[in-house]
Amino acid sequence: MTSIYAFVLSSGADHAVAMVLHVAGVLAALGALVRLSFAKPPPRVLMGAGVVVSALISPYNYVYDLAMLAAAARLLCKTVLRHARKLEQYILATIILLVGAYGAVLSAVVPKTIGDDMTRPVSILGPVLFAGGIVVFRVLWRSSQAVEDSSLVKTVKSAK
């Protein structure tokens, strides 16, 4: 599974602890979305951010549920490419590769390495996806600030 819940549960914690931590993460993500909405980003940016958050909500997400992030990527690509710093671009590229390769590694490499087809390692994709969401929201917030700053400059120029 690809959630904070799955990460905490597969780390050996109790179901209740895993669910509380997952819900806390979801509430933080929803709060970031609400905060972003107050910055009045373009509709495609707000919708893309909403898709990112929706991919984090279910504690029972699997890798195949992440296909919805393709819609987010399409909606956010222009903004992220324009406003992301180089390090943020590298982090997002690494996350994309990790998410894409994770299932193959679990299916092909891990069983041969540990000699057991049933044992699975800690499910790391929950924290990886949240880290990606944090980077994306940083970039989106910065892009909203850039739009707001350019609007102020246009207002000042038109007042002169």
Side-chain angles (χ1 to χ4, degrees), residues 70-142:
R74 173 64 181 100
L75 291 163
L76 300 175
C77 185
K78 183 177 173 183
T79 303
V80 169
L81 288 174
R82 183 171 183 197
H83 295 280
R85 296 180 176 127
K86 278 290 182 204
L87 180 59
E88 291 166 334
Q89 291 175 8
Y90 289 135
I91 290 170
L92 290 173
T94 301
I95 288 170
I96 290 167
L97 291 172
L98 183 58
V99 168
Y102 187 71
V105 170
L106 279 183
S107 299
V109 177
V110 171
K112 290 179 176 63
T113 305
I114 62 175
D116 182 3
D117 288 344
M118 300 307 291
T119 303
R120 293 288 178 235
V122 174
S123 180
I124 64 166
L125 286 186
V128 168
L129 291 171
F130 265 86
I134 290 167
V135 172
V136 166
F137 270 78
R138 281 176 46 95
V139 172
L140 298 181
W141 183 255
R142 189 178 317 116

Side-chain angles (χ1 to χ4, degrees), residues 1-19 21-22 59-62 102 106 118-128:
M1 292 187 291
T2 61
S3 64
I4 294 294
Y5 169 79
F7 169 71
V8 175
L9 197 63
S10 67
S11 297
D14 182 59
H15 160 76
V17 171
M19 190 58 75
L21 291 174
H22 181 81
Y60 306 109
N61 271 355
Y62 283 92
Y102 187 71
L106 279 183
M118 300 307 291
T119 303
R120 293 288 178 235
V122 174
S123 180
I124 64 166
L125 286 186
V128 168

Side-chain angles (χ1 to χ4, degrees), residues 63-71:
V63 174
Y64 53 78
D65 293 316
L66 300 180
M68 72 175 78
L69 291 176

